Amino acid sequence: MERKRHYRMYKSGKHWMTAAVVTMAVGVPLATQMPAVKAADTGNQATVTAVAQQDDSWKANAQALKDALTTGGWSSLKSSGQNTDLGTLVSNATDKATLNTSWNTVVQTISTTTLQKLLGTTDTTAINKFLSTQSSDGSYQGYTNNQVIALFVARSTIGDNQTTPTVSYPSTLNSLIVYLNRAVQVNWQTNKTALQNYLVNNGLTTVPVDANGNTIGATVSAVNDATSLNNAWAKAANVIARDEIRRQLGFPNDTNATYRKQIDEFLQLVSKVSGYTGRSNINVLNDKITNGMPTPTNPTPSFATLVTSLKNYVTDAVKAENPTVQAQVVIRDWANGVIINRTTTVTSGQTIPLYAASHDGLGFDSVKINGVTQSTTNGTLSFSQTFSQNTTYYVDYYFTKSTGYTEEAAQGTVYIKNVNGAALYSNMNMTAQITDRNLKQGTAWASYKKVYDAQGNVVGYNLGGQQYVKASDVQETPIGDVTTQTFNGVVSVINPWTRVYSDSAMTKQINNWTLDAGTRWQVFQKVFIDGKLAGYNLGGQQFIKANAVQESTTPSTPQQQIIPNSGVVSIISPYGARIQ
């Protein structure tokens, strides 16, 4: 038996005292755990307990994150709806968990701020739209942009068992910024190419955008981010809109001080176009230009569509100022040294088709309005001018000797309309069909050249290499849904030589049948394409387009009177007279 002496602490007044306690022990092994030492009186005696070493390594990570925010200039940023800036938020962290929560807020706030700058908007809906879309970065295929940002959060979140300051916040934040720039830049690079292609295809690259001689083409070529793209689009659109005003007002140029003054005055006029009244023309055009800039909800707008919208507004605005002014159009055929004249009258803002005549042994070459070459479709010119005073326009058709098929570069898209599909050919004359190659109806294909016959008609398209498709099997607009609605009424023809078609989609013209302007016709159906009014059914398989007629409010049965008379008439038209 071994005698051992221990000491017990007790409290006496304000002081702790010790007293010896003698115990007896018999052969206790050293490895046996000793009982806990406790105060004799739980009310006055101290309890002795073991205290684990506290893990303070998160503090080093908190300091590292604060340093990264300071270096990046983000310390003063505040998350949405919060009054505490990021620097203070991190300083207030008390452990790993609160530091990780602060880190998540840091990433979300910096991401939102960066996207607002890159996308040029603070609209929450627009930002969220971008975040919910699929990542354009091949490294994150299958992830949304929001999910990719979550991966960056996880990359520098401190794990439960992590006790050393090994998190690299600066590296993660730099990688995040690089990713966001790359994700947004995919859109501006695509839009830059699309805008350049539009300018090239429409011959606008050399048009100056300022008094220093800088051109639209050079301005767009210098684009290097989303902001500079928007600026380039705004400059290009302003120049195009202003030139359209010049053209519609009938001015030969906008360098003359008088012409420029009248264009400026027109821009300041209050719009008379329905839906825009009370706003100046320049205000309307600026809104259209701004609204046409890429957004998260419409990241790759069609510049051709946007320009068409600008031009249509200018046409309507000029026409609203002068709704009844008329001009004479003198059409001249330059056919092998012989000039054949014909005339017609056009109202300001009205669109009428003018057709190339047929001359034996000659093919259509080109057409000009007052000396300026125009684009045509199968030799058909859509003549549309808006003018502020009576004037005369000269439309000159030029013809050359027939030389067979030719092809010219013309990038675009064709859509297969033939219900049986479209055959492919290996030669421009489309006589050598490629075996077992047939393009399905409704499919879309990139085209690179147009094939013309001797008369200037488009007869085919080159789809790349030695692959050709006939024009009769395709169309340049998407195949739309065609629906009809019963309608018993009358329409008046407003365009001369209005064509009649044998199909409701109005793609198959009935040969040698056109309707004269001013005639009225009973109709039995309205035709809608993609939900928009496109034409009318005259009965059976006879259709006319809606833009060539207007619905009449007069009785449906025209009153006619035949007065007996006899005599002789002389045919003065060089094309003869149709017998009705």
Side-chain angles (χ1 to χ4, degrees), residues 423-435 437 466-470:
L424 280 177
Y425 300 85
S426 61
N427 63 332
M428 182 172 61
N429 291 333
M430 289 168 286
T431 57
Q433 185 174 345
I434 300 176
T435 305
R437 290 297 306 277
Q466 293 300 111
Q467 299 179 105
Y468 295 86
V469 64
K470 290 183 177 180

Side-chain angles (χ1 to χ4, degrees), residues 187-201 220 229 300-304:
N187 288 337
W188 73 255
Q189 289 171 336
T190 300
N191 288 326
K192 175 182 178 180
T193 301
L195 183 53
Q196 286 178 317
N197 289 340
Y198 175 81
L199 297 175
V200 170
N201 293 338
V220 176
L229 171 73
T300 53
S302 168
F303 292 108

Side-chain angles (χ1 to χ4, degrees), residues 266-273 276-281 321:
F266 171 81
L267 287 169
Q268 298 302 324
L269 289 175
V270 175
S271 177
K272 295 180 181 178
V273 179
Y276 300 99
T277 53
R279 304 172 60 192
S280 66
N281 288 320
E321 295 295 326

Side-chain angles (χ1 to χ4, degrees), residues 128-172:
N128 289 337
K129 177 71 175 180
F130 173 83
L131 292 173
S132 63
T133 57
Q134 293 287 312
S135 173
S136 57
D137 192 318
S139 302
Y140 298 99
Q141 187 173 3
Y143 289 86
T144 64
N145 288 313
N146 211 18
Q147 289 172 330
V148 174
I149 292 174
L151 293 177
F152 282 102
V153 173
R155 182 182 299 180
S156 291
T157 295
I158 306 173
D160 292 336
N161 299 323
Q162 192 170 346
T163 59
T164 55
T166 58
V167 178
S168 178
Y169 295 112
S171 175
T172 302

Side-chain angles (χ1 to χ4, degrees), residues 228-501:
S228 57
L229 171 73
N230 287 342
N231 291 336
W233 155 246
K235 289 181 179 179
N238 272 295
V239 170
I240 293 171
R242 190 177 180 89
D243 187 67
E244 184 64 15
I245 294 171
R246 174 201 64 76
R247 192 181 71 84
Q248 293 286 3
L249 292 177
F251 300 154
N253 61 67
D254 67 347
T255 56
N256 179 281
T258 300
Y259 297 150
R260 291 187 65 83
K261 180 181 178 182
Q262 292 188 51
I263 293 173
D264 291 337
E265 290 174 348
F266 171 81
L267 287 169
Q268 298 302 324
L269 289 175
V270 175
S271 177
K272 295 180 181 178
V273 179
S274 176
Y276 300 99
T277 53
R279 304 172 60 192
S280 66
N281 288 320
I282 192 170
N283 178 264
V284 174
L285 290 170
N286 283 339
D287 278 355
K288 285 182 172 291
I289 292 170
T290 301
N291 294 336
M293 293 177 178
T295 64
T297 55
N298 186 22
T300 53
S302 168
F303 292 108
T305 300
L306 294 173
V307 169
T308 298
S309 176
L310 291 174
K311 289 185 175 182
N312 287 344
Y313 174 77
V314 170
T315 298
D316 293 341
V318 176
K319 180 180 178 181
E321 295 295 326
N322 304 277
T324 60
V325 173
Q326 290 188 325
Q328 185 180 50
V329 179
V330 178
I331 307 168
R332 303 183 292 197
D333 288 356
W334 298 78
N336 199 25
V338 178
I339 302 176
I340 302 174
N341 287 355
R342 41 198 167 111
T343 62
T344 188
T345 300
V346 61
T347 300
S348 178
Q350 180 186 21
T351 300
I352 62 172
L354 301 179
Y355 304 98
S358 177
H359 300 281
D360 291 341
L362 299 178
F364 165 73
D365 177 64
S366 60
V367 61
K368 296 181 179 180
I369 297 178
N370 289 351
V372 179
T373 302
Q374 308 293 314
S375 60
T376 66
T377 302
N378 296 338
T380 300
L381 169 67
S382 292
F383 183 91
S384 177
Q385 300 287 334
T386 307
F387 33 85
S388 57
Q389 56 188 8
N390 290 336
T391 187
T392 299
Y393 289 94
Y394 292 91
V395 177
D396 296 303
Y397 277 98
Y398 296 90
F399 300 85
T400 59
K401 292 184 179 180
S402 300
T403 57
Y405 283 8
T406 58
E407 60 180 349
E408 296 180 8
Q411 289 191 345
T413 303
V414 294
Y415 302 84
I416 309 304
K417 68 179 182 181
N418 192 327
V419 294
N420 298 316
L424 280 177
Y425 300 85
S426 61
N427 63 332
M428 182 172 61
N429 291 333
M430 289 168 286
T431 57
Q433 185 174 345
I434 300 176
T435 305
D436 299 327
R437 290 297 306 277
N438 190 278
L439 307 182
K440 188 177 180 181
Q441 182 194 23
T443 56
W445 301 85
S447 61
Y448 303 92
K449 296 178 182 179
K450 289 183 179 181
V451 180
Y452 298 86
D453 63 12
Q455 287 71 44
N457 302 312
V458 177
V459 294
Y461 295 84
N462 179 296
L463 304 187
Q466 293 300 111
Q467 299 179 105
Y468 295 86
V469 64
K470 290 183 177 180
S472 58
D473 290 333
V474 303
Q475 64 187 53
E476 294 185 9
T477 56
I479 307 298
D481 293 328
V482 180
T483 57
T484 59
Q485 174 184 312
T486 301
F487 173 74
N488 186 13
V490 175
V491 295
S492 298
V493 179
I494 59 175
N495 289 347
W497 306 300
T498 293
R499 299 179 179 183
V500 182
Y501 301 85

